[in-house]
Amino acid sequence: MSPLPENTLIGMCNPLLDIQTTVEKAFLDKWGLKENDAILCDDKHNDMFTELTRDFSVEYIPGGAAQNSLRVAQWILNSPNRTVFFGAVGKDQYGELLASKAKEAGVNVQYQINETVKTGTCAALINGTHRSLCAHLAAANTFTQDHLQKEENQKIIEQAKFFYVTGFFITVCPPAILQLASHSAEFNKTFTLNLSAPFISQFFFDKLSEILPFVDVLFGNEDEASAFAKANGWETTCVKEVAVKAAALPKKTTKPRLVVFTQGPDPVIVVEGDKVTEYPVTRLNKEEIVDTNGAGDAFVGGFLSQFIQGKGIEASVSCGCYAAQEIIKKHGCTVPSVCKYH
Ligand code: AP5
Ligand code: NA
């Protein structure tokens, strides 16, 4: 294997193909979905996917939270293979499509391929300005730590300097997360994690708590911050206060933890150690907003594209906001062909 570019970022998450369409509230009610949520589907949703692809005009868009972020980071970095992605797909058309879209964007995809289980999908159901996500992980759920033990992947991990894992992946393979996290701590690298969705703090808090001491940068939005506070038994829902408390939680290494919480059009809250900064967001006009699907993922992609180059926090937040706004102006987590960020 040729040496990786300097400061390579590894992402690990569920590679999913988004099945996006517009639905009525009645459809969400029928399948027990909230207007604005991200959940894992259960068996009762199998028929929902059948109904969607049979009766609706759907768009297939490459998704999966960290894969979205890496594609965005690559778009900004504009030089291939600065990022590597680990996750599991099936041996099928959807998996091939995801791989080709990621490679086209410059992401070095290293999928674990499951011969018998289908590639995961995520229903992205738009209802007015809301969107409800229902993920069917399928092959993504079968990722195993062995994949990281392979010689070629070990080499990638040794050379990488930054790691980005989503909270979503905690439902799949905590040992793989802990492997990257402890490696990062041992070699004084940077390990970053996203809270991803309220259900992670609600139902997977024990596993999340095992990973947190290794986390150098923690991302989330206001709903995730509030679910995280609740799971910790903190009385507050003030995003700023939650960020300060999250930054102060026990840590394995001496590097102060950075907490970055987005709040849609409201300021981005950043806590570094005990220093709180609010970065205002330039609001988009109503006419410019196509859908906010993927805004948070794009923010992380933009942020990390600068952060891994050693640019400061302000530049990283500013690029995060830039990337999020470009994505908001388009359907799904897709970017315009040319990146105008300097
Ligand atoms: P989704 O949850 O839609 O994506 P997201 O990136 O998290 O987008 P949100 O709309 O939730 O944004 P946010 O609330 O995080 O950010 P915020 O609004 O604060 O999910 C997308 C993907 O998740 C799908 O592709 C799917 O495949 C995947 N997924 C679902 N389940 C999964 C699973 N189990 N495993 C793996 N993947 C899974 O905004 C962030 C920034 O945007 C702000 O700071 C600001 O800069 C900017 N911004 C937002 N609103 C405005 C505005 N009005 N004007 C200007 N700027 C704005
Ligand atoms: Na999000």
Side-chain angles (χ1 to χ4, degrees):
M1 192 188 79
S2 52
L4 295 180
E6 222 185 318
N7 299 333
T8 295
L9 166 69
I10 289 182
M12 187 164 70
C13 178
N14 305 316
L16 305 177
L17 187 67
D18 290 353
I19 301 179
Q20 181 165 301
T21 192
T22 302
V23 297
E24 301 287 329
K25 172 90 168 44
F27 183 89
L28 299 175
D29 293 343
K30 175 175 169 189
W31 297 104
L33 302 174
K34 293 187 201 148
E35 282 186 314
N36 247 328
D37 206 359
I39 63 155
L40 295 181
C41 75
D42 47 42
D43 288 343
K44 74 171 188 279
H45 292 110
N46 286 344
D47 292 341
M48 178 187 82
F49 280 89
T50 310
E51 189 177 326
L52 277 177
T53 47
R54 188 191 58 212
D55 302 340
F56 288 75
S57 133
V58 300
E59 261 186 286
Y60 294 91
I61 304 172
Q67 207 173 226
N68 288 340
S69 300
L70 295 195
R71 282 191 290 110
V72 169
Q74 280 296 155
W75 173 66
I76 291 160
L77 289 161
N78 196 23
S79 80
N81 302 329
R82 299 289 298 274
T83 64
V84 180
F85 182 81
F86 293 135
V89 294
K91 197 176 178 173
D92 52 27
Q93 238 185 327
Y94 284 2
E96 281 164 24
L97 179 67
L98 283 180
S100 77
K101 289 288 179 191
K103 283 180 196 157
E104 204 177 286
V107 180
N108 175 357
V109 269
Q110 300 294 334
Y111 290 146
Q112 184 175 35
I113 296 179
N114 188 315
E115 309 257 337
T116 52
V117 183
K118 286 199 280 189
T119 296
T121 50
C122 180
L125 307 172
I126 317 270
N127 173 242
T129 55
H130 306 290
R131 64 98 192 81
S132 194
L133 301 174
C134 184
H136 180 216
L137 299 184
N141 205 22
T142 67
F143 186 93
T144 55
Q145 199 182 356
D146 319 348
H147 189 61
L148 301 184
Q149 324 286 27
K150 282 191 183 162
E151 204 188 322
E152 64 268 32
N153 293 337
Q154 280 292 343
K155 285 202 177 122
I156 293 175
I157 295 165
E158 277 163 27
Q159 289 184 55
K161 291 279 164 44
F162 293 85
F163 301 89
Y164 174 58
V165 179
T166 59
F168 286 132
F169 203 67
I170 295 176
T171 75
V172 174
C173 193
I177 305 177
L178 284 166
Q179 181 183 327
L180 295 187
S182 51
H183 167 87
S184 175
E186 186 181 347
F187 295 95
N188 197 25
K189 298 178 175 183
T190 303
F191 183 82
T192 72
L193 183 85
N194 202 312
L195 291 174
S196 290
F199 82 86
I200 300 297
S201 290
Q202 282 159 6
F203 306 120
F204 297 86
F205 189 64
D206 287 356
K207 293 290 177 208
L208 177 61
S209 301
E210 270 180 67
I211 298 161
L212 269 172
F214 297 96
V215 175
D216 297 303
V217 183
L218 183 69
F219 295 104
N221 67 19
E222 70 265 56
D223 297 339
E224 292 146 16
S226 123
F228 182 68
K230 206 166 172 195
N232 273 291
W234 300 337
E235 297 287 311
T236 179
T237 53
C238 163
V239 179
K240 229 188 280 182
E241 247 177 88
V242 178
V244 171
K245 283 177 173 282
L249 285 171
K251 198 161 178 301
K252 291 273 182 198
T253 60
T254 50
K255 216 186 309 186
R257 180 180 292 121
L258 194 68
V259 177
V260 183
F261 285 160
T262 60
Q263 320 183 78
D266 294 329
V268 178
I269 309 281
V270 178
V271 176
E272 192 185 14
D274 53 8
K275 185 172 141 244
V276 187
T277 315
E278 288 188 46
Y279 295 91
V281 168
T282 317
R283 281 179 190 237
L284 290 171
N285 300 324
K286 252 200 197 138
E287 314 76 74
E288 290 177 292
I289 300 177
V290 175
D291 78 62
T292 61
N293 200 11
D297 298 338
F299 176 89
V300 171
F303 183 98
L304 288 175
S305 74
Q306 305 305 298
F307 197 71
I308 66 171
Q309 300 181 74
K311 304 271 174 78
I313 294 168
E314 192 174 349
S316 303
V317 171
S318 150
C319 188
C321 292
Y322 163 81
Q325 300 204 347
E326 290 302 309
I327 256 82
I328 292 173
K329 292 184 217 160
K330 297 192 66 157
H331 270 302
C333 195
T334 46
V335 290
S337 51
V338 184
C339 174
K340 293 190 184 132
Y341 189 80
H342 301 288

